Amino acid sequence: MPVRHFLTLNDLSREELRRLIQRAIELKAKHRAGEIFEPLKNKVLGMIFEKSSTRTRVSFESGMAQFGGHAIFLSSRDTQLGRGEPIEDSAQVLSRMVDAVMIRTFEHDIIERFACHSRVPVINALTNEYHPCQLLADMQTYFEHRGDIAGKRVAWIGDGNNMCHSYINAARQFDFQLAIASPAGYLPDTQILAAGEGHARLVDTAREAIRGADLVVTDVWASMGQEDEQAARAQVFADYQVTAQLMALAQPDALFMHCLPAHRGEEVAAEVIDGAQSVVWDEAENRLHSQKALLEFLIG
């Protein structure tokens, strides 16, 4: 049986994704009830971090510990990757020693090449193009608070980045309508957007995207590695801050999400992210539960 990887949301079927979300909700309930559940006892997850992260490391490492397994943290400084070893060679070696590999890296091509030479499942914990694990947490959060997202309207406000790309994939897989408001020069990839035709579309303004939305999502204006663009981006994105006035255009029970870390007063006003419609802390917690469901699916 071929090895299953999770490099984008498109690696799983619609039915598999929905079962994964429901399983994540079940696992969350088990954990909160204090139930010991160790389906991955003696299993090992290799975690390669070429980009640092708080939530990704803690959620995967905690998830493996709660499942009875173990996680090994590897930064570029701790591996031969940092000394120029071909990604294909690293994949051959590591995948003979662990049961799955999680990678947080730069170009999506890196993780695709690794997966091609891996004997074990590879999980995309973020690339420049996609962030599918965050979308599992976001979808779980919506299902928990509002039920099925099929047929709902989602507004993406801001950079057409890896999160936006993953929302385009999610719109097709979970069958919702995505309106994207991004400034010129920061639009999502045209091919990824074209693949979402019928479910994802560009609009001209943040007001147009958010009007009637059931879910409003944004991200920082300058992501990791773009710090030197901070000042320029602050000017370009000035009309894309999610404010209380904008949120008032959405449905009265609309939710607000942000993958964090957030910059209050930039992409989101403090009164929104700290307000009653914000579910960002549940969203952050659900990285743990949805990734446990993913690990169980891939290697359990």
Side-chain angles (χ1 to χ4, degrees):
M1 190 172 178
V3 175
R4 298 288 300 272
H5 302 297
F6 186 67
L7 307 189
T8 77
L9 290 174
N10 298 332
D11 286 323
L12 272 61
S13 69
R14 292 182 175 186
E15 292 71 26
E16 287 172 333
L17 284 170
R18 285 179 172 273
R19 285 202 300 271
L20 205 67
I21 298 303
Q22 291 306 315
R23 184 58 176 160
I25 293 170
E26 293 169 7
L27 291 171
K28 185 176 184 177
K30 282 178 179 284
H31 181 67
R32 290 192 168 180
E35 182 178 338
I36 303 299
F37 181 60
E38 298 182 329
L40 301 188
K41 200 169 184 62
N42 299 321
K43 300 285 187 180
V44 177
L45 173 69
M47 305 193 304
I48 299 174
F49 281 82
E50 293 195 294
K51 283 185 173 180
S52 61
S53 169
T54 304
R55 278 158 293 278
T56 297
R57 178 176 179 180
V58 174
S59 57
F60 270 108
E61 202 163 316
S62 296
M64 285 301 293
Q66 291 169 15
F67 267 177
H70 183 71
I72 300 174
F73 174 81
L74 298 164
S75 74
S76 297
R77 292 174 299 179
D78 306 313
T79 69
Q80 297 300 324
L81 280 172
R83 299 175 62 195
E85 180 176 59
I87 194 76
E88 294 81 359
D89 292 1
S90 291
Q92 291 276 7
V93 172
L94 289 176
S95 68
R96 289 173 183 242
M97 299 177 179
V98 300
D99 299 285
V101 178
M102 179 234 85
I103 305 178
R104 186 176 172 92
T105 186
F106 296 90
E107 292 79 15
H108 196 72
D109 170 67
I110 294 173
I111 201 166
E112 288 181 331
R113 289 162 51 204
F114 193 102
C116 281
H117 293 81
S118 174
R119 294 184 172 195
V120 299
V122 177
I123 297 170
N124 178 3
L126 183 140
T127 61
N128 290 345
E129 288 76 25
Y130 297 103
H131 196 3
C133 287
Q134 183 64 53
L135 261 293
L136 294 181
D138 286 22
M139 293 299 101
Q140 179 185 346
T141 306
Y142 192 90
F143 274 67
E144 286 177 337
H145 283 269
R146 295 289 184 265
D148 201 327
I149 199 169
K152 300 296 185 182
R153 298 178 62 179
V154 179
W156 174 265
I157 311 295
D159 197 0
N161 60 8
N162 50 6
M163 276 295 294
C164 180
H165 293 161
S166 291
Y167 259 94
I168 293 171
N169 286 346
R172 189 173 66 250
Q173 292 284 59
F174 288 94
D175 194 22
F176 59 80
Q177 292 297 314
L178 177 67
I180 302 165
S182 303
Y186 299 90
L187 301 176
D189 179 89
T190 54
Q191 292 188 350
I192 296 172
L193 182 62
E197 185 177 3
H199 287 90
R201 64 189 174 93
L202 296 176
V203 297
D204 294 330
T205 65
R207 292 176 63 86
E208 186 178 351
I210 213 169
R211 188 171 286 114
D214 300 285
L215 169 63
V216 179
V217 194
T218 191
D219 195 0
V220 293
W221 289 344
S223 298
M224 191 181 302
Q226 299 169 335
E227 290 79 4
D228 58 344
E229 303 175 25
Q230 182 76 39
R233 283 173 170 259
Q235 288 189 325
V236 173
F237 284 87
D239 292 332
Y240 294 83
Q241 182 186 99
V242 179
T243 62
Q245 291 73 29
L246 266 185
M247 283 297 294
L249 299 175
Q251 295 289 347
D253 64 344
L255 298 177
F256 172 78
M257 293 190 194
H258 189 306
C259 60
L260 304 176
H263 296 167
R264 290 168 175 77
E266 291 188 11
E267 76 275 5
V268 60
E271 60 185 326
V272 172
I273 193 170
D274 297 325
Q277 291 173 279
S278 172
V279 290
V280 298
W281 310 125
D282 290 340
E283 186 186 359
E285 178 191 348
N286 285 340
R287 287 291 302 275
L288 168 66
H289 307 295
S290 58
Q291 288 164 189
K292 284 170 68 178
L294 177 64
L295 289 165
E296 184 185 47
F297 174 81
L298 292 174
I299 60 176

Short mmCIF file of all heavy atoms in Angstrom, two decimals, residues 194-226:
data_model
loop_
_atom_site.label_atom_id
_atom_site.label_comp_id
_atom_site.label_asym_id
_atom_site.label_seq_id
_atom_site.Cartn_x
_atom_site.Cartn_y
_atom_site.Cartn_z
N ALA A 194 -7.16 29.53 -9.66
CA ALA A 194 -7.93 28.95 -10.77
C ALA A 194 -8.45 27.56 -10.40
O ALA A 194 -9.57 27.19 -10.77
CB ALA A 194 -7.05 28.88 -12.02
N ALA A 195 -7.66 26.80 -9.65
CA ALA A 195 -8.10 25.47 -9.23
C ALA A 195 -9.29 25.54 -8.28
O ALA A 195 -10.04 24.58 -8.15
CB ALA A 195 -6.94 24.72 -8.55
N GLY A 196 -9.47 26.69 -7.65
CA GLY A 196 -10.59 26.86 -6.73
C GLY A 196 -11.80 27.51 -7.37
O GLY A 196 -12.72 27.93 -6.66
N GLU A 197 -11.78 27.60 -8.68
CA GLU A 197 -12.89 28.25 -9.39
C GLU A 197 -14.23 27.63 -9.00
O GLU A 197 -14.37 26.41 -8.93
CB GLU A 197 -12.70 28.14 -10.90
CG GLU A 197 -13.74 28.89 -11.71
CD GLU A 197 -13.48 28.81 -13.20
OE1 GLU A 197 -12.52 28.13 -13.58
OE2 GLU A 197 -14.25 29.41 -13.97
N GLY A 198 -15.20 28.49 -8.76
CA GLY A 198 -16.50 28.00 -8.31
C GLY A 198 -16.65 28.06 -6.80
O GLY A 198 -17.76 28.04 -6.29
N HIS A 199 -15.50 28.13 -6.10
CA HIS A 199 -15.53 28.22 -4.64
C HIS A 199 -14.76 29.42 -4.11
O HIS A 199 -15.00 29.85 -2.99
CB HIS A 199 -14.95 26.94 -4.02
CG HIS A 199 -15.85 25.76 -4.12
ND1 HIS A 199 -15.82 24.89 -5.18
CD2 HIS A 199 -16.83 25.30 -3.31
CE1 HIS A 199 -16.74 23.95 -5.01
NE2 HIS A 199 -17.37 24.17 -3.89
N ALA A 200 -13.79 29.93 -4.86
CA ALA A 200 -12.97 31.05 -4.40
C ALA A 200 -12.92 32.13 -5.47
O ALA A 200 -12.81 31.83 -6.66
CB ALA A 200 -11.55 30.57 -4.08
N ARG A 201 -13.00 33.40 -5.05
CA ARG A 201 -12.97 34.51 -6.00
C ARG A 201 -12.31 35.71 -5.36
O ARG A 201 -12.34 35.87 -4.13
CB ARG A 201 -14.39 34.87 -6.44
CG ARG A 201 -15.25 35.38 -5.32
CD ARG A 201 -16.70 35.52 -5.73
NE ARG A 201 -17.54 35.87 -4.59
CZ ARG A 201 -17.86 37.11 -4.25
NH1 ARG A 201 -17.45 38.13 -4.99
NH2 ARG A 201 -18.61 37.35 -3.18
N LEU A 202 -11.72 36.56 -6.20
CA LEU A 202 -11.15 37.81 -5.74
C LEU A 202 -12.24 38.88 -5.73
O LEU A 202 -13.11 38.89 -6.60
CB LEU A 202 -10.02 38.26 -6.67
CG LEU A 202 -8.78 37.38 -6.75
CD1 LEU A 202 -7.82 37.94 -7.79
CD2 LEU A 202 -8.09 37.27 -5.40
N VAL A 203 -12.16 39.78 -4.75
CA VAL A 203 -13.04 40.95 -4.73
C VAL A 203 -12.16 42.18 -4.57
O VAL A 203 -10.97 42.08 -4.25
CB VAL A 203 -14.08 40.86 -3.58
CG1 VAL A 203 -15.00 39.67 -3.79
CG2 VAL A 203 -13.39 40.78 -2.23
N ASP A 204 -12.76 43.36 -4.76
CA ASP A 204 -11.95 44.58 -4.83
C ASP A 204 -11.60 45.18 -3.46
O ASP A 204 -10.57 45.84 -3.34
CB ASP A 204 -12.69 45.64 -5.67
CG ASP A 204 -12.81 45.22 -7.13
OD1 ASP A 204 -11.90 44.49 -7.59
OD2 ASP A 204 -13.78 45.61 -7.79
N THR A 205 -12.46 44.97 -2.48
CA THR A 205 -12.22 45.62 -1.19
C THR A 205 -12.51 44.67 -0.03
O THR A 205 -13.24 43.68 -0.19
CB THR A 205 -13.14 46.86 -1.01
OG1 THR A 205 -14.50 46.41 -0.96
CG2 THR A 205 -12.95 47.83 -2.16
N ALA A 206 -11.95 45.02 1.12
CA ALA A 206 -12.23 44.23 2.33
C ALA A 206 -13.71 44.30 2.68
O ALA A 206 -14.30 43.31 3.14
CB ALA A 206 -11.37 44.74 3.48
N ARG A 207 -14.33 45.45 2.47
CA ARG A 207 -15.77 45.59 2.76
C ARG A 207 -16.59 44.63 1.90
O ARG A 207 -17.53 44.01 2.40
CB ARG A 207 -16.22 47.03 2.50
CG ARG A 207 -15.65 48.05 3.46
CD ARG A 207 -16.07 49.47 3.06
NE ARG A 207 -17.51 49.65 3.12
CZ ARG A 207 -18.17 49.99 4.22
NH1 ARG A 207 -17.52 50.19 5.34
NH2 ARG A 207 -19.48 50.13 4.19
N GLU A 208 -16.23 44.50 0.64
CA GLU A 208 -16.97 43.60 -0.25
C GLU A 208 -16.78 42.15 0.19
O GLU A 208 -17.73 41.36 0.15
CB GLU A 208 -16.48 43.79 -1.69
CG GLU A 208 -17.29 43.01 -2.71
CD GLU A 208 -16.80 43.25 -4.14
OE1 GLU A 208 -15.97 44.15 -4.33
OE2 GLU A 208 -17.25 42.52 -5.03
N ALA A 209 -15.58 41.79 0.61
CA ALA A 209 -15.32 40.40 1.02
C ALA A 209 -16.10 40.04 2.27
O ALA A 209 -16.63 38.93 2.41
CB ALA A 209 -13.83 40.20 1.24
N ILE A 210 -16.15 40.95 3.20
CA ILE A 210 -16.67 40.63 4.53
C ILE A 210 -18.19 40.73 4.62
O ILE A 210 -18.80 40.17 5.54
CB ILE A 210 -15.99 41.57 5.56
CG1 ILE A 210 -15.79 40.87 6.90
CG2 ILE A 210 -16.76 42.86 5.72
CD1 ILE A 210 -14.90 41.64 7.84
N ARG A 211 -18.81 41.42 3.67
CA ARG A 211 -20.27 41.64 3.75
C ARG A 211 -21.00 40.30 3.70
O ARG A 211 -20.90 39.54 2.75
CB ARG A 211 -20.73 42.55 2.62
CG ARG A 211 -22.18 42.99 2.75
CD ARG A 211 -22.56 44.07 1.75
NE ARG A 211 -22.01 45.37 2.12
CZ ARG A 211 -21.08 46.02 1.42
NH1 ARG A 211 -20.65 45.51 0.30
NH2 ARG A 211 -20.63 47.20 1.83
N GLY A 212 -21.75 39.99 4.78
CA GLY A 212 -22.53 38.76 4.84
C GLY A 212 -21.74 37.52 5.17
O GLY A 212 -22.28 36.40 5.13
N ALA A 213 -20.45 37.66 5.52
CA ALA A 213 -19.60 36.49 5.78
C ALA A 213 -19.98 35.81 7.09
O ALA A 213 -20.40 36.45 8.05
CB ALA A 213 -18.13 36.91 5.81
N ASP A 214 -19.79 34.48 7.10
CA ASP A 214 -19.99 33.69 8.32
C ASP A 214 -18.70 33.52 9.10
O ASP A 214 -18.72 33.18 10.28
CB ASP A 214 -20.55 32.31 7.95
CG ASP A 214 -21.87 32.40 7.22
OD1 ASP A 214 -22.90 32.68 7.88
OD2 ASP A 214 -21.89 32.21 5.98
N LEU A 215 -17.59 33.69 8.40
CA LEU A 215 -16.27 33.54 9.02
C LEU A 215 -15.35 34.57 8.38
O LEU A 215 -15.32 34.70 7.16
CB LEU A 215 -15.72 32.13 8.79
CG LEU A 215 -14.25 31.89 9.14
CD1 LEU A 215 -13.99 32.10 10.63
CD2 LEU A 215 -13.83 30.46 8.74
N VAL A 216 -14.59 35.29 9.21
CA VAL A 216 -13.62 36.29 8.75
C VAL A 216 -12.24 35.85 9.21
O VAL A 216 -12.04 35.56 10.39
CB VAL A 216 -13.97 37.69 9.30
CG1 VAL A 216 -12.93 38.71 8.82
CG2 VAL A 216 -15.37 38.09 8.89
N VAL A 217 -11.29 35.83 8.26
CA VAL A 217 -9.94 35.34 8.58
C VAL A 217 -8.91 36.31 8.04
O VAL A 217 -9.06 36.86 6.94
CB VAL A 217 -9.68 33.95 7.95
CG1 VAL A 217 -8.44 33.30 8.56
CG2 VAL A 217 -10.88 33.04 8.10
N THR A 218 -7.85 36.51 8.81
CA THR A 218 -6.74 37.32 8.32
C THR A 218 -5.43 36.76 8.84
O THR A 218 -5.40 35.77 9.58
CB THR A 218 -6.91 38.79 8.75
OG1 THR A 218 -5.94 39.60 8.06
CG2 THR A 218 -6.71 38.96 10.25
N ASP A 219 -4.33 37.38 8.46
CA ASP A 219 -3.00 36.95 8.87
C ASP A 219 -2.13 38.21 8.97
O ASP A 219 -2.55 39.29 8.52
CB ASP A 219 -2.42 35.97 7.83
CG ASP A 219 -1.21 35.20 8.35
OD1 ASP A 219 -0.80 35.42 9.51
OD2 ASP A 219 -0.66 34.39 7.57
N VAL A 220 -0.94 38.06 9.51
CA VAL A 220 -0.04 39.21 9.63
C VAL A 220 0.26 39.78 8.24
O VAL A 220 0.22 39.09 7.24
CB VAL A 220 1.27 38.82 10.34
CG1 VAL A 220 1.01 38.47 11.78
CG2 VAL A 220 1.97 37.68 9.60
N TRP A 221 0.60 41.06 8.22
CA TRP A 221 0.93 41.70 6.95
C TRP A 221 2.32 41.30 6.46
O TRP A 221 2.56 41.23 5.25
CB TRP A 221 0.84 43.22 7.11
CG TRP A 221 -0.57 43.70 7.26
CD1 TRP A 221 -1.71 43.01 6.96
CD2 TRP A 221 -0.99 44.97 7.75
NE1 TRP A 221 -2.82 43.78 7.22
CE2 TRP A 221 -2.41 44.99 7.70
CE3 TRP A 221 -0.32 46.10 8.21
CZ2 TRP A 221 -3.16 46.09 8.11
CZ3 TRP A 221 -1.07 47.20 8.62
CH2 TRP A 221 -2.47 47.20 8.57
N ALA A 222 3.23 41.06 7.38
CA ALA A 222 4.59 40.62 7.02
C ALA A 222 4.88 39.33 7.76
O ALA A 222 4.98 39.32 8.99
CB ALA A 222 5.62 41.69 7.38
N SER A 223 4.98 38.21 7.03
CA SER A 223 5.23 36.92 7.65
C SER A 223 6.70 36.73 7.96
O SER A 223 7.54 37.58 7.62
CB SER A 223 4.72 35.80 6.72
OG SER A 223 3.33 35.90 6.50
N MET A 224 7.01 35.57 8.58
CA MET A 224 8.39 35.27 8.92
C MET A 224 9.28 35.32 7.67
O MET A 224 8.93 34.76 6.63
CB MET A 224 8.46 33.87 9.54
CG MET A 224 9.78 33.53 10.19
SD MET A 224 9.74 31.85 10.85
CE MET A 224 8.36 31.97 11.97
N GLY A 225 10.39 36.03 7.77
CA GLY A 225 11.29 36.19 6.63
C GLY A 225 11.02 37.44 5.81
O GLY A 225 11.75 37.74 4.88
N GLN A 226 9.91 38.14 6.14
CA GLN A 226 9.55 39.37 5.41
C GLN A 226 9.69 40.61 6.29
O GLN A 226 9.12 41.65 5.98
CB GLN A 226 8.11 39.25 4.89
CG GLN A 226 7.89 38.09 3.93
CD GLN A 226 6.43 37.82 3.65
OE1 GLN A 226 5.55 38.14 4.46
NE2 GLN A 226 6.16 37.21 2.52
#
